[in-house]
Amino acid sequence: MKAMVLRRLCNLEEDTSPLEMANLPEPEPKTAELLVRVSVCGVCHTELDEIEGRTPPPNFPIVLGHQIVGRIEKTGTKVERFAVGDRVGIAWIHWACGQCLFCLRGDENLCDQFQATGRDVHGGYAEYAVVSERFAYKIPGVFVDAQAAPLLCAGAIGYRSLRLTGIENGQNLGLIGFGASAHLVLKMVRHKYPDTRVFVFARSDQEKIFAKELGAAWAGEIEAESPAKLQGSIDTTPAWQPVVEALKNLDKGGRLIINAIRKEDRDKSAWLQINYSRDLWLEKEIKSVANVTRRDVEEFLALAAEIPIKPEIQEYKLEEANQALIELKQRKIRGAKVLRITAQ
Ligand SMILES: [Zn+2]
Ligand SMILES: [Zn+2]
């Protein structure tokens, strides 16, 4: 099968073609697995982190990509939930043990044996992918394949972040950074918590205007003083300064969720500006969000279908994966980037 593979870590400033086209053997599904013919695979910031080594794949070559939509071509002998021809999605959580303390309490995202799609096992930048039927999802009929793909990552992790803030309808929410995940969170909040006011902190004017169009109560600079105290906030930036700024705007007992797989070291010294009495005292909390659980993906897909949330899409061919990644790195963003692998 055709696949775009990563053979080694590299620096995208120097190497603008990190992936190369290869011909890999078509995978064979094990007893409880599905062989999925990939229709589309979303392109995510996490791929940049994998390529540049912030969350490195353990083995090479590796096929990246964890927002996969396709159709089942073959099933293992013990598959019960799905049949050949069904449309399914595959997300970042590829497998967890199901037996450890974390898995048993529903935190399978924290399982020591957690395997990520497109990092620990081959992902969706290829014609085929395999997944255990336990970790595949039915895609609601309202979505075409390309619309569903970005929901499987940015949407599901955004949903988890929102869940972890613990906010209730009517409480104020801050969004620091306004990329793919944050704009989906804003749409979810408008539907799920109609009386909640959302305050967006972003660098670019374009993002601020977009936030207001989508119903944000206010949009301003990352460093700005929030016009109202925030009971919950979600930071999706790669930097440290925004975290310090966000803490200052939290209400007493408020919680900041950091939704970033890794933070860059460039402005780490910003931490030194933390003022304990202003930024942390009075029971403010900071919590990160790691990975997603099946519950997040399933609940989010149902919510997205109900609202409905239909992301703007920019399609590339599989062969153009490097171009899509570099444009993502350079923040040339016109909707969620999706690789089109087979015609729908
Ligand atoms: Zn992702
Ligand atoms: Zn486990």
Side-chain angles (χ1 to χ4, degrees):
M1 67 170 181
K2 282 200 299 182
M4 288 296 276
V5 301
L6 178 69
R7 296 197 184 276
R8 68 197 76 83
L9 299 183
C10 68
N11 180 341
L12 290 168
E13 308 280 336
E14 291 153 16
D15 185 351
T16 54
S17 299
L19 307 185
E20 61 183 72
M21 184 58 83
N23 204 349
L24 299 184
E26 196 178 296
E28 190 59 33
K30 298 197 198 94
T31 49
E33 285 184 339
L34 314 170
L35 174 69
V36 177
R37 181 162 174 81
V38 180
S39 164
V40 291
C41 183
V43 177
C44 177
H45 267 280
T46 301
E47 272 97 85
L48 305 178
D49 293 324
E50 292 173 309
I51 293 167
E52 296 191 308
R54 288 179 292 276
T55 178
N59 299 299
F60 296 95
I62 183 80
V63 178
L64 308 181
H66 55 266
Q67 310 170 72
I68 305 168
V69 177
R71 281 164 191 74
I72 298 174
E73 189 143 305
K74 194 172 168 186
T75 60
T77 50
K78 293 233 167 74
V79 165
E80 291 166 353
R81 293 175 56 213
F82 296 99
V84 169
D86 286 355
R87 180 169 76 149
V88 291
I90 306 173
W92 176 248
I93 181 167
H94 196 265
W95 191 83
C97 82
Q99 286 159 12
C100 70
L101 282 176
F102 297 106
C103 282
L104 290 175
R105 71 174 198 216
D107 293 331
E108 57 191 6
N109 57 316
L110 304 179
C111 177
D112 281 343
Q113 296 182 62
F114 181 94
Q115 289 181 353
T117 310
R119 185 190 64 189
D120 304 318
V121 297
H122 286 324
Y125 286 21
E127 289 177 300
Y128 291 94
V130 285
V131 68
S132 159
E133 68 164 341
R134 290 164 52 215
F135 293 90
Y137 312 91
K138 286 204 163 69
I139 302 289
V142 297
F143 303 117
V144 298
D145 296 355
Q147 290 169 329
L151 298 179
L152 288 165
C153 184
I157 192 101
Y159 180 81
R160 181 170 185 81
S161 309
L162 179 60
R163 198 149 76 77
L164 293 186
T165 63
I167 68 152
E168 292 166 11
N169 187 29
Q171 295 186 328
N172 295 332
L173 178 75
L175 297 176
I176 299 98
F178 200 63
S181 181
H183 104 249
L184 294 174
V185 169
L186 179 48
K187 289 185 177 180
M188 286 176 232
V189 171
R190 299 277 293 152
H191 184 82
K192 212 169 142 81
Y193 306 121
D195 303 320
T196 283
R197 289 190 299 157
V198 179
F199 299 77
V200 172
F201 301 81
R203 287 259 176 260
S204 84
D205 288 340
Q206 216 184 340
E207 285 169 336
K208 291 186 200 100
I209 292 164
F210 188 36
K212 296 285 279 286
E213 280 171 10
L214 291 179
W218 175 92
E221 291 299 316
I222 300 259
E223 294 78 11
E225 189 89 31
S226 177
K229 286 292 180 191
L230 309 170
Q231 284 75 49
S233 269
I234 302 170
D235 163 54
T236 49
T237 68
W240 292 105
Q241 184 76 38
V243 174
V244 179
E245 304 293 347
L247 287 170
K248 125 196 128 193
N249 286 325
L250 274 188
D251 200 358
K252 291 174 277 189
R255 186 185 287 168
L256 170 67
I257 298 297
I258 300 182
N259 173 5
I261 193 161
R262 292 292 180 272
K263 285 280 190 188
E264 293 170 2
D265 281 339
R266 255 180 293 175
D267 71 336
K268 212 170 179 179
S269 58
W271 265 123
L272 295 174
Q273 295 164 20
I274 283 208
N275 174 330
Y276 179 74
S277 62
R278 181 194 65 186
D279 299 331
L280 281 172
W281 196 50
L282 295 169
E283 307 195 345
K284 296 186 185 186
E285 286 178 75
I286 308 178
K287 189 179 174 86
S288 64
V289 54
N291 311 314
V292 285
T293 65
R294 282 171 284 179
R295 176 185 159 191
D296 299 313
V297 180
E298 276 160 9
E299 289 184 359
F300 173 66
L301 284 175
L303 177 65
E306 187 184 302
I307 294 176
I309 291 177
K310 293 192 176 175
E312 293 299 313
I313 300 299
Q314 188 182 8
E315 286 196 13
Y316 298 78
K317 293 184 200 132
L318 178 60
E319 295 78 359
E320 296 168 335
N322 284 318
Q323 187 195 336
L325 288 164
I326 296 299
E327 288 183 10
L328 190 65
K329 173 94 179 167
Q330 296 169 343
R331 306 190 62 81
K332 288 186 190 157
I333 295 167
R334 283 179 292 128
K337 297 181 192 302
V338 163
L339 303 181
R340 161 69 57 192
I341 293 155
T342 45
Q344 186 169 3

Short mmCIF file of all heavy atoms in Angstrom, two decimals, residues 95-104 107-108 110-114, ligand 2:
data_model
loop_
_atom_site.label_atom_id
_atom_site.label_comp_id
_atom_site.label_asym_id
_atom_site.label_seq_id
_atom_site.Cartn_x
_atom_site.Cartn_y
_atom_site.Cartn_z
N TRP A 95 -5.06 2.25 21.72
CA TRP A 95 -5.23 1.07 22.59
C TRP A 95 -4.84 1.46 24.01
O TRP A 95 -3.96 2.28 24.23
CB TRP A 95 -4.30 -0.05 22.10
CG TRP A 95 -4.58 -1.37 22.74
CD1 TRP A 95 -5.53 -2.28 22.37
CD2 TRP A 95 -3.87 -1.94 23.85
NE1 TRP A 95 -5.47 -3.38 23.21
CE2 TRP A 95 -4.46 -3.20 24.11
CE3 TRP A 95 -2.81 -1.52 24.65
CZ2 TRP A 95 -4.01 -4.03 25.15
CZ3 TRP A 95 -2.36 -2.34 25.67
CH2 TRP A 95 -2.96 -3.59 25.91
N ALA A 96 -5.53 0.87 24.98
CA ALA A 96 -5.12 0.94 26.39
C ALA A 96 -5.47 -0.42 26.99
O ALA A 96 -6.29 -1.16 26.44
CB ALA A 96 -5.86 2.06 27.11
N CYS A 97 -4.84 -0.76 28.14
CA CYS A 97 -4.88 -2.16 28.60
C CYS A 97 -6.25 -2.60 29.09
O CYS A 97 -6.59 -3.78 29.02
CB CYS A 97 -3.80 -2.40 29.66
SG CYS A 97 -4.28 -1.88 31.32
N GLY A 98 -7.04 -1.66 29.64
CA GLY A 98 -8.37 -2.03 30.11
C GLY A 98 -8.38 -2.67 31.49
O GLY A 98 -9.45 -2.99 32.03
N GLN A 99 -7.19 -2.86 32.09
CA GLN A 99 -7.13 -3.59 33.37
C GLN A 99 -6.43 -2.84 34.49
O GLN A 99 -6.56 -3.23 35.64
CB GLN A 99 -6.40 -4.92 33.13
CG GLN A 99 -7.25 -5.90 32.38
CD GLN A 99 -6.46 -6.99 31.70
OE1 GLN A 99 -5.27 -7.16 31.95
NE2 GLN A 99 -7.11 -7.72 30.82
N CYS A 100 -5.69 -1.81 34.18
CA CYS A 100 -4.94 -1.12 35.24
C CYS A 100 -5.87 -0.18 36.01
O CYS A 100 -7.02 0.03 35.62
CB CYS A 100 -3.77 -0.34 34.63
SG CYS A 100 -4.27 1.09 33.66
N LEU A 101 -5.36 0.41 37.10
CA LEU A 101 -6.18 1.30 37.92
C LEU A 101 -6.73 2.47 37.11
O LEU A 101 -7.87 2.89 37.29
CB LEU A 101 -5.34 1.84 39.09
CG LEU A 101 -5.13 0.86 40.24
CD1 LEU A 101 -4.20 1.48 41.28
CD2 LEU A 101 -6.48 0.51 40.88
N PHE A 102 -5.89 3.00 36.22
CA PHE A 102 -6.33 4.15 35.42
C PHE A 102 -7.45 3.74 34.47
O PHE A 102 -8.48 4.40 34.38
CB PHE A 102 -5.15 4.73 34.62
CG PHE A 102 -4.06 5.28 35.50
CD1 PHE A 102 -2.86 4.59 35.64
CD2 PHE A 102 -4.23 6.47 36.18
CE1 PHE A 102 -1.85 5.09 36.45
CE2 PHE A 102 -3.23 6.98 36.99
CZ PHE A 102 -2.04 6.28 37.13
N CYS A 103 -7.25 2.63 33.77
CA CYS A 103 -8.28 2.16 32.83
C CYS A 103 -9.59 1.86 33.56
O CYS A 103 -10.67 2.25 33.10
CB CYS A 103 -7.81 0.91 32.09
SG CYS A 103 -6.63 1.27 30.76
N LEU A 104 -9.48 1.20 34.72
CA LEU A 104 -10.69 0.78 35.43
C LEU A 104 -11.49 1.97 35.95
O LEU A 104 -12.70 1.89 36.09
CB LEU A 104 -10.34 -0.17 36.58
CG LEU A 104 -9.85 -1.55 36.13
CD1 LEU A 104 -9.40 -2.38 37.32
CD2 LEU A 104 -10.93 -2.29 35.34
N ASP A 107 -9.90 6.51 33.28
CA ASP A 107 -8.80 7.36 32.81
C ASP A 107 -7.85 6.56 31.92
O ASP A 107 -6.64 6.52 32.14
CB ASP A 107 -8.02 7.94 34.01
CG ASP A 107 -8.84 8.93 34.81
OD1 ASP A 107 -9.74 9.58 34.22
OD2 ASP A 107 -8.60 9.06 36.03
N GLU A 108 -8.41 5.92 30.90
CA GLU A 108 -7.59 5.08 30.03
C GLU A 108 -6.56 5.91 29.26
O GLU A 108 -5.56 5.38 28.79
CB GLU A 108 -8.47 4.29 29.06
CG GLU A 108 -9.36 5.18 28.22
CD GLU A 108 -10.42 4.41 27.45
OE1 GLU A 108 -10.55 3.21 27.65
OE2 GLU A 108 -11.12 5.05 26.63
N LEU A 110 -4.56 7.77 30.61
CA LEU A 110 -3.36 7.80 31.45
C LEU A 110 -2.73 6.42 31.61
O LEU A 110 -1.75 6.26 32.34
CB LEU A 110 -3.71 8.37 32.84
CG LEU A 110 -4.36 9.76 32.86
CD1 LEU A 110 -4.68 10.19 34.28
CD2 LEU A 110 -3.44 10.79 32.19
N CYS A 111 -3.26 5.41 30.96
CA CYS A 111 -2.75 4.03 31.05
C CYS A 111 -1.25 3.99 30.70
O CYS A 111 -0.83 4.61 29.72
CB CYS A 111 -3.53 3.16 30.06
SG CYS A 111 -2.95 1.44 29.99
N ASP A 112 -0.48 3.26 31.51
CA ASP A 112 0.96 3.14 31.24
C ASP A 112 1.23 2.51 29.88
O ASP A 112 2.28 2.72 29.28
CB ASP A 112 1.64 2.25 32.29
CG ASP A 112 1.89 3.01 33.58
OD1 ASP A 112 1.84 4.26 33.55
OD2 ASP A 112 2.11 2.35 34.62
N GLN A 113 0.29 1.70 29.43
CA GLN A 113 0.51 1.00 28.15
C GLN A 113 -0.20 1.70 26.99
O GLN A 113 -0.36 1.12 25.92
CB GLN A 113 0.01 -0.44 28.27
CG GLN A 113 0.80 -1.23 29.29
CD GLN A 113 0.33 -2.66 29.36
OE1 GLN A 113 0.41 -3.39 28.37
NE2 GLN A 113 -0.19 -3.06 30.49
N PHE A 114 -0.67 2.93 27.24
CA PHE A 114 -1.37 3.71 26.20
C PHE A 114 -0.57 3.69 24.89
O PHE A 114 0.63 3.94 24.87
CB PHE A 114 -1.51 5.16 26.68
CG PHE A 114 -2.24 6.07 25.72
CD1 PHE A 114 -3.60 6.28 25.84
CD2 PHE A 114 -1.55 6.73 24.70
CE1 PHE A 114 -4.27 7.13 24.97
CE2 PHE A 114 -2.22 7.57 23.81
CZ PHE A 114 -3.59 7.77 23.96
ZN ZN B 2 -4.51 0.51 31.44
#
